Amino acid sequence: MAALAVAALLLLLLSATAHGIGRTGESCSSAVFFGHYRKDFYLPYKEYPEYHQPDPVQGGRIHLTALLASAANLQSVTVNGQEARNLPSGTNLTYFDWARPLFDKSTGVFGLTFHSRNTDWFNDDHPQPLSIKVVFTNGDCFQGSWTPTTSPVFVSWVTPLNASTWLVHVHNNGSRSEQLQGLAFDGRPAHVFPSLPRSLSPAGHVVLSVLVPAPKRRGQLFSVTALTSSRNVSNCGRTPELRFPVEVWPRSSDCALPGINSTTYSELHSHGIDTAFWSSGTFRKCGGGQDLVTYVNSGQLQKNNFFLWVDKDTAAQVPSTAADHVPVAFLADENDGELNHNIRDTLATVQKLQASRPDVLTYQGGKTNRHSGTFAGICDVQGLDFYIGGCAPTIIPVTAALHITASYAYVRNARNNHMPLPAMTYSQLFGGWAWEPSAEEIIAQIGFVLVSGAKGLTLFQSVQDDFDKLRKDWDGSIKDVFLSMVNPTVRQVLRTGDTDALPLISSDTGDPIGKIDSLSTVIRNHEYILLVAVNTDASGYNNLLCHIDLTRHWKFSDHTIKSLRVSATADASFVGILPSHLLEAKHGGLEPATNVNLAVTNDTLEFSDLKFDADLPLRLFVLPYKQLP
């Protein structure tokens, strides 16, 4: 059966490879396009009222892929006759909000990602095919069509495991079982483990190890296509970095950089923070006459294995010899307040930087849930912040009820809109708030980022004065959580695994974006299960009353999750797992788990009496497992 499925996939993909050469003055060669149509995710207005913004239900984000045999560069890419390359600045968003056409001559992979709300192009009740035409600078011309319909099965995360193997996560969000029949990587049938075809039950998830013919550089185009019983879905993107960064936005006057200020830098390094955002302007306060590019080239980052996210101008000037430690250009922060010229302004910066520095990934931060779907995809990495402590400002009115899970709701929404590409979202830290958040509030928000499925943690803000004032919290439970998160096993699962990777039922029922006493998820890669559990049994904070100093902090309670039942899925077996195998991440290591019970059958993991102390609302459990072949 598996051999027949691979043969059928091979036949389909060979017929999809466009080898003929058409010329622009003649009829174009026929090409077969695969794709994925993602409707925008957003939160209910009743609970998260964002200044009278309508539900973003029209259109969505499209990924299109094809194999095109050309040795030239892209000259024109049109959808229904509308040019998608080099979109002009301004606010004419009639056809495209944004579009990113990409082509890799070394592999023949073509990818087009775009977001559109055009009512003629997208009628979900009566979907119509999109006509795609691709013209190269040597006259090669290819055309085809693809019809935008949604699929219950989708690719949720794609990443290199190492130079020769990638991991592809496929999830079934539908109400009935679906068949995953085959997989292609870069448009060609992939050798995968475990074998296919395989049935995916509702909420089923499979982790596929894919052997690739050659390593990919950071920023190099990839495509992945899943053939399912519903329809074929295909996504593309630029190769992410092989790290789960813990990044901070430091107060510039602290000069927390290796070789600049060893004291303030050591505060970050000792807590597991390995990345910081610096711009050329803020660095002037610290450089002692040298500019940021000169500092990057000094070898201090490489010597200390520290990484920077930098502004676009610095990113464009960083020499290739130092590029591994400057992997990301930070292009925009909270730029999604309006659907206006910000979309095209950011897109233009992305395209300019990508042309000159294809090995540098791009990042933008967001603040909304209702515009998140439109903006997600302009950059390679999507961020978002929503804070629930310190009387921090929020995008919802101060008169609206604020759930402690609001931070989770927003960062999860950003991840959903950007997948299968990496979201790296914020937890609150210290600095600049009406008063500083408690350790429990910070730790809970870190937990929300992890549960959401983010592929990096960003923190705002690091301030040395606050570290000194709040030394007990900073060097106590906060440090313990940071070091537990960057434990090599935990960090590898966070990077290569994905959230909701095994079905989970909790005794704590409620609304995960509203009132609930805990949030839990299983993040899983090909080797380990990581159970992330966050205590949300907290009260006493009010988004309005904090402004008149009547409420300052959430008060967390001791809490016990009575039961968490985790079920096996298409590729996961619990055979051979013993309760004694369960470890907990603590103090940077992995220790035998306490204050929780585990019962194991061949197809269930039953966690019971999982206890939280009020002062530590996050627990991380690690369990090795075997995949079914």
Side-chain angles (χ1 to χ4, degrees):
M1 187 71 176
L4 288 175
V6 172
L9 174 62
L10 179 61
L11 181 62
L12 176 62
L13 291 169
L14 286 176
S15 66
T17 306
H19 290 288
I21 303 299
R23 298 298 176 182
T24 56
E26 308 167 4
S27 61
C28 293
S29 297
S30 177
V32 176
F33 290 88
F34 298 95
H36 179 247
Y37 175 33
R38 186 268 293 151
K39 301 293 293 181
D40 290 2
F41 289 88
Y42 60 97
L43 302 175
Y45 193 87
K46 181 179 180 181
E47 292 187 276
Y48 297 101
E50 284 184 355
Y51 50 91
H52 308 293
Q53 294 299 308
D55 292 353
V57 296
Q58 176 57 36
R61 185 203 66 189
I62 296 289
H63 279 199
L64 293 171
T65 71
L67 272 182
L68 304 179
S70 181
N73 296 320
L74 292 175
Q75 177 175 297
S76 173
V77 177
T78 60
V79 177
N80 289 351
Q82 300 297 321
E83 182 60 57
R85 292 191 74 242
N86 302 320
L87 293 175
S89 60
T91 58
N92 183 355
L93 309 176
T94 303
Y95 295 104
F96 299 102
D97 292 311
W98 55 267
R100 296 182 66 186
L102 297 167
F103 181 66
D104 186 340
K105 287 184 284 188
S106 68
T107 61
V109 175
F110 168 81
L112 171 63
T113 65
F114 68 89
H115 190 279
S116 174
R117 293 167 288 141
N118 187 276
T119 54
D120 292 331
W121 289 7
F122 297 96
N123 183 333
D124 294 340
D125 294 328
H126 303 284
Q128 299 298 314
L130 301 173
S131 175
I132 305 110
K133 183 176 179 180
V134 183
V135 181
F136 290 86
T137 52
N138 65 353
D140 291 346
C141 177
F142 305 91
Q143 62 183 7
S145 64
W146 185 81
T147 302
T149 58
T150 57
S151 170
V153 178
F154 55 86
V155 177
S156 61
W157 175 232
V158 186
T159 187
L161 178 65
N162 51 47
S164 61
T165 305
W166 283 53
L167 294 186
V168 177
H169 290 258
V170 183
H171 193 86
N172 179 15
N173 203 41
S175 58
R176 62 183 177 88
S177 293
E178 300 282 348
Q179 190 85 348
L180 179 59
Q181 298 165 336
L183 191 89
F185 188 86
D186 279 357
R188 297 163 179 89
H191 179 73
V192 302
F193 181 89
S195 62
L196 299 176
R198 196 161 293 247
S199 180
L200 286 177
S201 60
H205 190 105
V206 64
V207 184
L208 297 172
S209 297
V210 181
L211 293 178
V212 297
K216 284 188 179 288
R217 306 176 305 277
R218 184 179 63 235
Q220 186 176 1
L221 178 65
F222 72 86
S223 73
V224 60
T225 304
L227 281 74
T228 80
S229 50
S230 289
R231 71 168 305 172
N232 304 326
V233 294
S234 190
N235 294 93
C236 58
R238 299 175 68 214
T239 300
E241 59 175 324
L242 276 68
R243 291 192 312 128
F244 183 95
V246 180
E247 184 265 356
V248 73
W249 188 316
R251 187 174 65 179
S252 56
S253 58
D254 286 348
C255 302
L257 285 164
I260 300 291
N261 187 322
S262 59
T263 300
T264 54
Y265 164 69
S266 293
E267 288 280 7
L268 305 183
H269 178 72
S270 65
H271 286 64
I273 296 170
D274 65 353
T275 307
F277 167 57
W278 282 88
S279 70
S280 57
T282 55
F283 183 79
R284 292 191 190 103
K285 301 176 183 179
C286 305
Q290 68 175 327
D291 60 26
L292 184 54
V293 175
T294 302
Y295 171 75
V296 166
N297 206 31
S298 69
Q300 286 292 337
L301 299 177
Q302 295 87 335
K303 178 181 177 182
N304 292 275
N305 204 29
F306 196 69
F307 300 81
L308 297 187
W309 293 3
V310 297
D311 62 282
K312 61 182 176 63
D313 295 328
T314 300
Q317 299 175 63
V318 169
S320 58
T321 53
D324 281 350
H325 284 76
V326 188
V328 174
F330 192 121
L331 302 188
D333 183 48
E334 297 186 349
N335 63 328
D336 59 342
E338 300 290 342
L339 301 179
N340 59 11
H341 63 87
N342 283 349
I343 294 174
R344 296 289 178 83
D345 292 348
T346 306
L347 177 66
T349 304
V350 167
Q351 293 175 327
K352 182 179 179 181
L353 184 60
Q354 186 175 304
S356 64
R357 291 306 306 271
D359 57 338
V360 175
L361 303 174
T362 54
Y363 168 97
Q364 65 177 349
K367 63 180 178 180
T368 72
N369 80 75
R370 292 180 165 252
H371 294 163
S372 168
T374 299
F375 276 77
I378 299 174
C379 288
D380 304 307
V381 183
Q382 182 64 43
L384 187 132
D385 64 79
F386 189 108
Y387 304 132
I388 50 85
C391 214
T394 62
I395 194 69
I396 62 175
V398 296
T399 52
L402 181 69
H403 303 292
I404 193 170
T405 54
S407 177
Y408 166 74
Y410 269 74
V411 298
R412 177 59 186 255
N413 190 70
R415 175 266 182 186
N416 287 350
N417 277 311
H418 200 53
M419 66 180 175
L421 306 179
M424 301 184 185
T425 49
Y426 277 96
S427 166
Q428 198 170 12
L429 196 57
F430 297 128
W433 315 113
W435 46 82
E436 297 312 322
S438 67
E440 296 87 347
E441 290 165 338
I442 291 170
I443 291 167
Q445 290 175 88
I446 292 171
F448 296 151
V449 171
L450 303 187
V451 172
S452 77
K455 296 305 159 192
L457 171 68
T458 52
L459 298 155
F460 188 89
Q461 181 183 29
S462 74
V463 178
Q464 184 63 43
D465 287 347
D466 292 328
F467 297 159
D468 293 335
K469 293 174 186 175
L470 302 163
R471 182 62 60 184
K472 181 179 178 181
D473 284 350
W474 175 241
D475 284 345
S477 56
I478 295 175
K479 182 175 183 179
D480 183 40
V481 166
F482 279 144
L483 295 182
S484 298
M485 184 175 57
V486 301
N487 169 275
T489 299
V490 173
R491 193 173 203 166
Q492 180 75 335
V493 181
L494 290 171
R495 183 184 77 80
T496 62
D498 199 17
T499 193
D500 295 339
L502 288 173
L504 180 151
I505 298 175
S506 174
S507 58
D508 282 345
T509 58
D511 183 357
I513 62 170
K515 175 58 180 172
I516 195 169
D517 286 338
S518 68
L519 289 175
S520 302
T521 192
V522 170
I523 298 173
R524 176 171 67 97
N525 66 2
H526 62 305
E527 294 180 313
Y528 289 97
I529 291 166
L530 174 65
L531 174 65
V532 183
V534 186
N535 179 12
T536 57
D537 186 359
S539 61
Y541 182 86
N542 183 287
N543 207 21
L544 175 62
L545 297 182
C546 71
H547 288 276
I548 53 176
D549 205 12
L550 290 183
T551 62
R552 286 200 167 198
H553 294 288
W554 292 94
K555 182 180 179 181
F556 286 78
S557 300
D558 293 344
H559 182 71
T560 298
I561 303 176
K562 294 179 181 178
S563 171
L564 285 173
R565 172 168 288 189
V566 176
S567 300
T569 187
D571 66 315
S573 170
F574 302 150
V575 174
I577 294 178
L578 299 174
S580 59
H581 295 165
L582 184 65
L583 302 174
E584 183 171 9
K586 287 184 175 182
H587 317 299
L590 296 176
E591 304 176 1
T594 59
N595 291 318
V596 63
N597 299 317
L598 174 61
V600 183
T601 70
N602 288 349
D603 55 7
T604 61
L605 302 173
E606 186 82 35
F607 297 86
S608 60
D609 295 329
L610 194 161
K611 294 180 172 61
F612 293 97
D613 292 332
D615 58 357
L616 189 60
L618 173 63
R619 298 188 70 182
L620 304 172
F621 298 96
V622 173
L623 192 63
Y625 82 104
K626 296 290 186 182
Q627 282 190 292
L628 295 169

